[in-house]
PDB file of all heavy atoms in Angstrom:
ATOM      1  N   ARG A   1     -43.254  55.872  28.763  1.00  0.00           N
ATOM      2  CA  ARG A   1     -43.006  57.238  28.332  1.00  0.00           C
ATOM      3  C   ARG A   1     -41.902  57.243  27.277  1.00  0.00           C
ATOM      4  O   ARG A   1     -40.907  56.541  27.400  1.00  0.00           O
ATOM      5  CB  ARG A   1     -42.566  58.081  29.522  1.00  0.00           C
ATOM      6  CG  ARG A   1     -42.292  59.509  29.165  1.00  0.00           C
ATOM      7  CD  ARG A   1     -41.733  60.244  30.366  1.00  0.00           C
ATOM      8  NE  ARG A   1     -41.172  61.482  29.931  1.00  0.00           N
ATOM      9  CZ  ARG A   1     -41.614  62.663  30.319  1.00  0.00           C
ATOM     10  NH1 ARG A   1     -42.596  62.761  31.158  1.00  0.00           N
ATOM     11  NH2 ARG A   1     -41.053  63.756  29.866  1.00  0.00           N
ATOM     12  N   ILE A   2     -42.094  58.038  26.244  1.00  0.00           N
ATOM     13  CA  ILE A   2     -41.096  58.177  25.198  1.00  0.00           C
ATOM     14  C   ILE A   2     -40.414  59.515  25.397  1.00  0.00           C
ATOM     15  O   ILE A   2     -41.051  60.558  25.317  1.00  0.00           O
ATOM     16  CB  ILE A   2     -41.739  58.100  23.796  1.00  0.00           C
ATOM     17  CG1 ILE A   2     -42.424  56.755  23.607  1.00  0.00           C
ATOM     18  CG2 ILE A   2     -40.694  58.336  22.724  1.00  0.00           C
ATOM     19  CD1 ILE A   2     -43.203  56.639  22.309  1.00  0.00           C
ATOM     20  N   ASP A   3     -39.131  59.458  25.719  1.00  0.00           N
ATOM     21  CA  ASP A   3     -38.368  60.682  25.945  1.00  0.00           C
ATOM     22  C   ASP A   3     -37.526  61.006  24.726  1.00  0.00           C
ATOM     23  O   ASP A   3     -36.661  60.228  24.339  1.00  0.00           O
ATOM     24  CB  ASP A   3     -37.445  60.533  27.157  1.00  0.00           C
ATOM     25  CG  ASP A   3     -38.213  60.509  28.453  1.00  0.00           C
ATOM     26  OD1 ASP A   3     -39.148  61.314  28.590  1.00  0.00           O
ATOM     27  OD2 ASP A   3     -37.878  59.702  29.328  1.00  0.00           O
ATOM     28  N   ILE A   4     -37.803  62.130  24.117  1.00  0.00           N
ATOM     29  CA  ILE A   4     -37.003  62.610  22.994  1.00  0.00           C
ATOM     30  C   ILE A   4     -36.813  64.106  23.173  1.00  0.00           C
ATOM     31  O   ILE A   4     -37.550  64.759  23.901  1.00  0.00           O
ATOM     32  CB  ILE A   4     -37.655  62.338  21.617  1.00  0.00           C
ATOM     33  CG1 ILE A   4     -38.970  63.105  21.497  1.00  0.00           C
ATOM     34  CG2 ILE A   4     -37.830  60.870  21.371  1.00  0.00           C
ATOM     35  CD1 ILE A   4     -39.448  63.243  20.076  1.00  0.00           C
ATOM     36  N   SER A   5     -35.832  64.617  22.493  1.00  0.00           N
ATOM     37  CA  SER A   5     -35.685  66.072  22.436  1.00  0.00           C
ATOM     38  C   SER A   5     -35.081  66.423  21.084  1.00  0.00           C
ATOM     39  O   SER A   5     -34.312  65.650  20.516  1.00  0.00           O
ATOM     40  CB  SER A   5     -34.822  66.601  23.577  1.00  0.00           C
ATOM     41  OG  SER A   5     -33.496  66.136  23.456  1.00  0.00           O
ATOM     42  N   ILE A   6     -35.454  67.575  20.603  1.00  0.00           N
ATOM     43  CA  ILE A   6     -34.913  68.057  19.341  1.00  0.00           C
ATOM     44  C   ILE A   6     -33.587  68.736  19.643  1.00  0.00           C
ATOM     45  O   ILE A   6     -33.514  69.627  20.486  1.00  0.00           O
ATOM     46  CB  ILE A   6     -35.883  69.042  18.668  1.00  0.00           C
ATOM     47  CG1 ILE A   6     -37.188  68.327  18.313  1.00  0.00           C
ATOM     48  CG2 ILE A   6     -35.242  69.671  17.431  1.00  0.00           C
ATOM     49  CD1 ILE A   6     -38.294  69.244  17.849  1.00  0.00           C
ATOM     50  N   ASN A   7     -32.535  68.301  18.967  1.00  0.00           N
ATOM     51  CA  ASN A   7     -31.238  68.943  19.112  1.00  0.00           C
ATOM     52  C   ASN A   7     -31.293  70.217  18.272  1.00  0.00           C
ATOM     53  O   ASN A   7     -31.221  70.177  17.046  1.00  0.00           O
ATOM     54  CB  ASN A   7     -30.125  68.014  18.630  1.00  0.00           C
ATOM     55  CG  ASN A   7     -28.754  68.603  18.858  1.00  0.00           C
ATOM     56  OD1 ASN A   7     -28.494  69.756  18.533  1.00  0.00           O
ATOM     57  ND2 ASN A   7     -27.868  67.803  19.406  1.00  0.00           N
ATOM     58  N   MET A   8     -31.457  71.333  18.957  1.00  0.00           N
ATOM     59  CA  MET A   8     -31.691  72.614  18.278  1.00  0.00           C
ATOM     60  C   MET A   8     -30.522  73.014  17.381  1.00  0.00           C
ATOM     61  O   MET A   8     -30.713  73.437  16.250  1.00  0.00           O
ATOM     62  CB  MET A   8     -31.964  73.705  19.309  1.00  0.00           C
ATOM     63  CG  MET A   8     -33.174  73.445  20.187  1.00  0.00           C
ATOM     64  SD  MET A   8     -34.717  73.695  19.331  1.00  0.00           S
ATOM     65  CE  MET A   8     -34.793  75.466  19.369  1.00  0.00           C
ATOM     66  N   GLU A   9     -29.304  72.886  17.907  1.00  0.00           N
ATOM     67  CA  GLU A   9     -28.131  73.315  17.151  1.00  0.00           C
ATOM     68  C   GLU A   9     -27.946  72.480  15.873  1.00  0.00           C
ATOM     69  O   GLU A   9     -27.739  73.020  14.782  1.00  0.00           O
ATOM     70  CB  GLU A   9     -26.887  73.195  18.040  1.00  0.00           C
ATOM     71  CG  GLU A   9     -25.787  74.152  17.662  1.00  0.00           C
ATOM     72  CD  GLU A   9     -24.710  74.177  18.737  1.00  0.00           C
ATOM     73  OE1 GLU A   9     -24.937  74.799  19.788  1.00  0.00           O
ATOM     74  OE2 GLU A   9     -23.656  73.555  18.499  1.00  0.00           O
ATOM     75  N   LYS A  10     -28.048  71.168  16.021  1.00  0.00           N
ATOM     76  CA  LYS A  10     -27.889  70.291  14.858  1.00  0.00           C
ATOM     77  C   LYS A  10     -29.053  70.435  13.882  1.00  0.00           C
ATOM     78  O   LYS A  10     -28.872  70.368  12.669  1.00  0.00           O
ATOM     79  CB  LYS A  10     -27.732  68.839  15.293  1.00  0.00           C
ATOM     80  CG  LYS A  10     -26.400  68.560  15.945  1.00  0.00           C
ATOM     81  CD  LYS A  10     -26.267  67.098  16.342  1.00  0.00           C
ATOM     82  CE  LYS A  10     -24.928  66.841  17.009  1.00  0.00           C
ATOM     83  NZ  LYS A  10     -24.823  65.428  17.450  1.00  0.00           N
ATOM     84  N   THR A  11     -30.256  70.645  14.415  1.00  0.00           N
ATOM     85  CA  THR A  11     -31.408  70.856  13.545  1.00  0.00           C
ATOM     86  C   THR A  11     -31.231  72.133  12.744  1.00  0.00           C
ATOM     87  O   THR A  11     -31.488  72.160  11.537  1.00  0.00           O
ATOM     88  CB  THR A  11     -32.722  70.891  14.360  1.00  0.00           C
ATOM     89  OG1 THR A  11     -32.941  69.586  14.917  1.00  0.00           O
ATOM     90  CG2 THR A  11     -33.910  71.271  13.491  1.00  0.00           C
ATOM     91  N   GLY A  12     -30.775  73.191  13.394  1.00  0.00           N
ATOM     92  CA  GLY A  12     -30.532  74.457  12.699  1.00  0.00           C
ATOM     93  C   GLY A  12     -29.519  74.305  11.580  1.00  0.00           C
ATOM     94  O   GLY A  12     -29.719  74.787  10.458  1.00  0.00           O
ATOM     95  N   ALA A  13     -28.426  73.610  11.887  1.00  0.00           N
ATOM     96  CA  ALA A  13     -27.395  73.378  10.876  1.00  0.00           C
ATOM     97  C   ALA A  13     -27.944  72.534   9.726  1.00  0.00           C
ATOM     98  O   ALA A  13     -27.631  72.783   8.556  1.00  0.00           O
ATOM     99  CB  ALA A  13     -26.187  72.694  11.506  1.00  0.00           C
ATOM    100  N   ASN A  14     -28.799  71.571  10.062  1.00  0.00           N
ATOM    101  CA  ASN A  14     -29.405  70.723   9.039  1.00  0.00           C
ATOM    102  C   ASN A  14     -30.355  71.516   8.149  1.00  0.00           C
ATOM    103  O   ASN A  14     -30.346  71.374   6.925  1.00  0.00           O
ATOM    104  CB  ASN A  14     -30.135  69.548   9.691  1.00  0.00           C
ATOM    105  CG  ASN A  14     -30.640  68.562   8.678  1.00  0.00           C
ATOM    106  OD1 ASN A  14     -29.927  68.177   7.746  1.00  0.00           O
ATOM    107  ND2 ASN A  14     -31.876  68.141   8.840  1.00  0.00           N
ATOM    108  N   ILE A  15     -31.176  72.354   8.761  1.00  0.00           N
ATOM    109  CA  ILE A  15     -32.102  73.191   7.982  1.00  0.00           C
ATOM    110  C   ILE A  15     -31.308  74.074   7.022  1.00  0.00           C
ATOM    111  O   ILE A  15     -31.622  74.154   5.831  1.00  0.00           O
ATOM    112  CB  ILE A  15     -32.996  74.039   8.920  1.00  0.00           C
ATOM    113  CG1 ILE A  15     -33.997  73.142   9.654  1.00  0.00           C
ATOM    114  CG2 ILE A  15     -33.726  75.137   8.133  1.00  0.00           C
ATOM    115  CD1 ILE A  15     -34.776  73.845  10.754  1.00  0.00           C
ATOM    116  N   LYS A  16     -30.279  74.713   7.539  1.00  0.00           N
ATOM    117  CA  LYS A  16     -29.451  75.585   6.708  1.00  0.00           C
ATOM    118  C   LYS A  16     -28.828  74.794   5.553  1.00  0.00           C
ATOM    119  O   LYS A  16     -28.866  75.231   4.398  1.00  0.00           O
ATOM    120  CB  LYS A  16     -28.358  76.233   7.556  1.00  0.00           C
ATOM    121  CG  LYS A  16     -27.465  77.179   6.796  1.00  0.00           C
ATOM    122  CD  LYS A  16     -26.435  77.814   7.717  1.00  0.00           C
ATOM    123  CE  LYS A  16     -25.566  78.806   6.959  1.00  0.00           C
ATOM    124  NZ  LYS A  16     -24.591  79.447   7.858  1.00  0.00           N
ATOM    125  N   SER A  17     -28.278  73.650   5.866  1.00  0.00           N
ATOM    126  CA  SER A  17     -27.630  72.816   4.852  1.00  0.00           C
ATOM    127  C   SER A  17     -28.611  72.360   3.771  1.00  0.00           C
ATOM    128  O   SER A  17     -28.309  72.426   2.572  1.00  0.00           O
ATOM    129  CB  SER A  17     -27.007  71.598   5.546  1.00  0.00           C
ATOM    130  OG  SER A  17     -26.540  70.680   4.603  1.00  0.00           O
ATOM    131  N   GLN A  18     -29.778  71.920   4.197  1.00  0.00           N
ATOM    132  CA  GLN A  18     -30.796  71.452   3.246  1.00  0.00           C
ATOM    133  C   GLN A  18     -31.262  72.592   2.330  1.00  0.00           C
ATOM    134  O   GLN A  18     -31.428  72.404   1.122  1.00  0.00           O
ATOM    135  CB  GLN A  18     -32.010  70.874   3.998  1.00  0.00           C
ATOM    136  CG  GLN A  18     -31.709  69.655   4.825  1.00  0.00           C
ATOM    137  CD  GLN A  18     -31.847  68.366   4.049  1.00  0.00           C
ATOM    138  OE1 GLN A  18     -32.126  68.336   2.860  1.00  0.00           O
ATOM    139  NE2 GLN A  18     -31.643  67.267   4.743  1.00  0.00           N
ATOM    140  N   ILE A  19     -31.472  73.769   2.910  1.00  0.00           N
ATOM    141  CA  ILE A  19     -31.917  74.931   2.129  1.00  0.00           C
ATOM    142  C   ILE A  19     -30.842  75.345   1.130  1.00  0.00           C
ATOM    143  O   ILE A  19     -31.127  75.586  -0.044  1.00  0.00           O
ATOM    144  CB  ILE A  19     -32.310  76.097   3.070  1.00  0.00           C
ATOM    145  CG1 ILE A  19     -33.639  75.767   3.769  1.00  0.00           C
ATOM    146  CG2 ILE A  19     -32.407  77.418   2.310  1.00  0.00           C
ATOM    147  CD1 ILE A  19     -34.036  76.731   4.873  1.00  0.00           C
ATOM    148  N   LYS A  20     -29.602  75.431   1.602  1.00  0.00           N
ATOM    149  CA  LYS A  20     -28.494  75.821   0.720  1.00  0.00           C
ATOM    150  C   LYS A  20     -28.294  74.802  -0.406  1.00  0.00           C
ATOM    151  O   LYS A  20     -28.029  75.183  -1.545  1.00  0.00           O
ATOM    152  CB  LYS A  20     -27.191  75.965   1.514  1.00  0.00           C
ATOM    153  CG  LYS A  20     -27.227  77.028   2.586  1.00  0.00           C
ATOM    154  CD  LYS A  20     -27.079  78.390   2.008  1.00  0.00           C
ATOM    155  CE  LYS A  20     -27.036  79.411   3.137  1.00  0.00           C
ATOM    156  NZ  LYS A  20     -27.173  80.760   2.675  1.00  0.00           N
ATOM    157  N   ALA A  21     -28.414  73.507  -0.083  1.00  0.00           N
ATOM    158  CA  ALA A  21     -28.214  72.452  -1.082  1.00  0.00           C
ATOM    159  C   ALA A  21     -29.229  72.547  -2.223  1.00  0.00           C
ATOM    160  O   ALA A  21     -28.920  72.191  -3.361  1.00  0.00           O
ATOM    161  CB  ALA A  21     -28.301  71.077  -0.420  1.00  0.00           C
ATOM    162  N   LYS A  22     -30.419  73.054  -1.918  1.00  0.00           N
ATOM    163  CA  LYS A  22     -31.447  73.217  -2.955  1.00  0.00           C
ATOM    164  C   LYS A  22     -31.353  74.575  -3.646  1.00  0.00           C
ATOM    165  O   LYS A  22     -32.125  74.874  -4.552  1.00  0.00           O
ATOM    166  CB  LYS A  22     -32.843  73.049  -2.355  1.00  0.00           C
ATOM    167  CG  LYS A  22     -33.140  71.637  -1.912  1.00  0.00           C
ATOM    168  CD  LYS A  22     -33.294  70.706  -3.093  1.00  0.00           C
ATOM    169  CE  LYS A  22     -33.668  69.324  -2.606  1.00  0.00           C
ATOM    170  NZ  LYS A  22     -33.928  68.388  -3.668  1.00  0.00           N
ATOM    171  N   GLY A  23     -30.432  75.413  -3.200  1.00  0.00           N
ATOM    172  CA  GLY A  23     -30.210  76.689  -3.862  1.00  0.00           C
ATOM    173  C   GLY A  23     -31.147  77.815  -3.463  1.00  0.00           C
ATOM    174  O   GLY A  23     -31.225  78.828  -4.146  1.00  0.00           O
ATOM    175  N   TYR A  24     -31.836  77.665  -2.344  1.00  0.00           N
ATOM    176  CA  TYR A  24     -32.737  78.722  -1.887  1.00  0.00           C
ATOM    177  C   TYR A  24     -31.978  79.755  -1.066  1.00  0.00           C
ATOM    178  O   TYR A  24     -31.089  79.414  -0.291  1.00  0.00           O
ATOM    179  CB  TYR A  24     -33.867  78.151  -1.023  1.00  0.00           C
ATOM    180  CG  TYR A  24     -34.873  77.322  -1.780  1.00  0.00           C
ATOM    181  CD1 TYR A  24     -34.931  75.940  -1.609  1.00  0.00           C
ATOM    182  CD2 TYR A  24     -35.766  77.920  -2.657  1.00  0.00           C
ATOM    183  CE1 TYR A  24     -35.860  75.179  -2.294  1.00  0.00           C
ATOM    184  CE2 TYR A  24     -36.702  77.164  -3.345  1.00  0.00           C
ATOM    185  CZ  TYR A  24     -36.731  75.797  -3.159  1.00  0.00           C
ATOM    186  OH  TYR A  24     -37.653  75.043  -3.833  1.00  0.00           O
ATOM    187  N   SER A  25     -32.363  81.012  -1.206  1.00  0.00           N
ATOM    188  CA  SER A  25     -31.814  82.087  -0.382  1.00  0.00           C
ATOM    189  C   SER A  25     -32.745  82.324   0.806  1.00  0.00           C
ATOM    190  O   SER A  25     -33.873  81.818   0.842  1.00  0.00           O
ATOM    191  CB  SER A  25     -31.708  83.374  -1.202  1.00  0.00           C
ATOM    192  OG  SER A  25     -33.010  83.882  -1.492  1.00  0.00           O
ATOM    193  N   VAL A  26     -32.272  83.116   1.752  1.00  0.00           N
ATOM    194  CA  VAL A  26     -33.114  83.486   2.894  1.00  0.00           C
ATOM    195  C   VAL A  26     -34.370  84.206   2.402  1.00  0.00           C
ATOM    196  O   VAL A  26     -35.472  83.951   2.874  1.00  0.00           O
ATOM    197  CB  VAL A  26     -32.323  84.349   3.904  1.00  0.00           C
ATOM    198  CG1 VAL A  26     -33.230  84.948   4.953  1.00  0.00           C
ATOM    199  CG2 VAL A  26     -31.216  83.525   4.549  1.00  0.00           C
ATOM    200  N   LYS A  27     -34.204  85.084   1.431  1.00  0.00           N
ATOM    201  CA  LYS A  27     -35.363  85.816   0.887  1.00  0.00           C
ATOM    202  C   LYS A  27     -36.358  84.858   0.225  1.00  0.00           C
ATOM    203  O   LYS A  27     -37.574  85.039   0.345  1.00  0.00           O
ATOM    204  CB  LYS A  27     -34.905  86.889  -0.089  1.00  0.00           C
ATOM    205  CG  LYS A  27     -34.055  87.951   0.592  1.00  0.00           C
ATOM    206  CD  LYS A  27     -34.491  89.329   0.212  1.00  0.00           C
ATOM    207  CE  LYS A  27     -33.563  90.356   0.809  1.00  0.00           C
ATOM    208  NZ  LYS A  27     -34.078  91.033   1.951  1.00  0.00           N
ATOM    209  N   ASP A  28     -35.846  83.840  -0.481  1.00  0.00           N
ATOM    210  CA  ASP A  28     -36.732  82.831  -1.076  1.00  0.00           C
ATOM    211  C   ASP A  28     -37.556  82.143   0.005  1.00  0.00           C
ATOM    212  O   ASP A  28     -38.771  81.981  -0.132  1.00  0.00           O
ATOM    213  CB  ASP A  28     -35.932  81.751  -1.823  1.00  0.00           C
ATOM    214  CG  ASP A  28     -35.198  82.250  -3.043  1.00  0.00           C
ATOM    215  OD1 ASP A  28     -35.648  83.246  -3.649  1.00  0.00           O
ATOM    216  OD2 ASP A  28     -34.170  81.633  -3.392  1.00  0.00           O
ATOM    217  N   ILE A  29     -36.879  81.737   1.073  1.00  0.00           N
ATOM    218  CA  ILE A  29     -37.561  81.031   2.161  1.00  0.00           C
ATOM    219  C   ILE A  29     -38.592  81.932   2.823  1.00  0.00           C
ATOM    220  O   ILE A  29     -39.695  81.490   3.161  1.00  0.00           O
ATOM    221  CB  ILE A  29     -36.544  80.491   3.186  1.00  0.00           C
ATOM    222  CG1 ILE A  29     -35.624  79.457   2.528  1.00  0.00           C
ATOM    223  CG2 ILE A  29     -37.237  79.896   4.404  1.00  0.00           C
ATOM    224  CD1 ILE A  29     -36.309  78.266   1.899  1.00  0.00           C
ATOM    225  N   MET A  30     -38.274  83.203   2.968  1.00  0.00           N
ATOM    226  CA  MET A  30     -39.239  84.152   3.530  1.00  0.00           C
ATOM    227  C   MET A  30     -40.490  84.212   2.666  1.00  0.00           C
ATOM    228  O   MET A  30     -41.615  84.168   3.172  1.00  0.00           O
ATOM    229  CB  MET A  30     -38.619  85.554   3.637  1.00  0.00           C
ATOM    230  CG  MET A  30     -37.577  85.683   4.723  1.00  0.00           C
ATOM    231  SD  MET A  30     -36.741  87.286   4.706  1.00  0.00           S
ATOM    232  CE  MET A  30     -38.110  88.396   5.015  1.00  0.00           C
ATOM    233  N   GLU A  31     -40.296  84.313   1.357  1.00  0.00           N
ATOM    234  CA  GLU A  31     -41.431  84.417   0.442  1.00  0.00           C
ATOM    235  C   GLU A  31     -42.270  83.142   0.438  1.00  0.00           C
ATOM    236  O   GLU A  31     -43.495  83.191   0.479  1.00  0.00           O
ATOM    237  CB  GLU A  31     -40.924  84.710  -0.972  1.00  0.00           C
ATOM    238  CG  GLU A  31     -42.038  84.985  -1.958  1.00  0.00           C
ATOM    239  CD  GLU A  31     -41.514  85.423  -3.310  1.00  0.00           C
ATOM    240  OE1 GLU A  31     -40.472  86.108  -3.365  1.00  0.00           O
ATOM    241  OE2 GLU A  31     -42.157  85.060  -4.304  1.00  0.00           O
ATOM    242  N   ILE A  32     -41.610  82.001   0.425  1.00  0.00           N
ATOM    243  CA  ILE A  32     -42.317  80.718   0.349  1.00  0.00           C
ATOM    244  C   ILE A  32     -43.085  80.417   1.632  1.00  0.00           C
ATOM    245  O   ILE A  32     -44.212  79.936   1.584  1.00  0.00           O
ATOM    246  CB  ILE A  32     -41.312  79.581   0.054  1.00  0.00           C
ATOM    247  CG1 ILE A  32     -40.737  79.743  -1.356  1.00  0.00           C
ATOM    248  CG2 ILE A  32     -41.962  78.214   0.216  1.00  0.00           C
ATOM    249  CD1 ILE A  32     -39.500  78.898  -1.629  1.00  0.00           C
ATOM    250  N   THR A  33     -42.468  80.705   2.781  1.00  0.00           N
ATOM    251  CA  THR A  33     -43.072  80.327   4.059  1.00  0.00           C
ATOM    252  C   THR A  33     -43.941  81.416   4.680  1.00  0.00           C
ATOM    253  O   THR A  33     -44.726  81.133   5.580  1.00  0.00           O
ATOM    254  CB  THR A  33     -41.983  79.962   5.088  1.00  0.00           C
ATOM    255  OG1 THR A  33     -41.162  81.113   5.324  1.00  0.00           O
ATOM    256  CG2 THR A  33     -41.149  78.783   4.614  1.00  0.00           C
ATOM    257  N   GLY A  34     -43.760  82.644   4.233  1.00  0.00           N
ATOM    258  CA  GLY A  34     -44.503  83.745   4.844  1.00  0.00           C
ATOM    259  C   GLY A  34     -43.844  84.302   6.090  1.00  0.00           C
ATOM    260  O   GLY A  34     -44.413  85.156   6.769  1.00  0.00           O
ATOM    261  N   VAL A  35     -42.638  83.843   6.384  1.00  0.00           N
ATOM    262  CA  VAL A  35     -41.878  84.399   7.514  1.00  0.00           C
ATOM    263  C   VAL A  35     -41.513  85.831   7.145  1.00  0.00           C
ATOM    264  O   VAL A  35     -41.067  86.099   6.034  1.00  0.00           O
ATOM    265  CB  VAL A  35     -40.617  83.544   7.791  1.00  0.00           C
ATOM    266  CG1 VAL A  35     -39.713  84.210   8.805  1.00  0.00           C
ATOM    267  CG2 VAL A  35     -41.020  82.155   8.261  1.00  0.00           C
TER     268      VAL A  35
END
């Protein structure tokens, strides 16, 4: 069995950091992803 879990807090911080580093706004991400 392979036991893994996604670290939600660190993943969230990583997503935010990656998005900000590329210069996208929340509104940009909404438009691109359909959220």
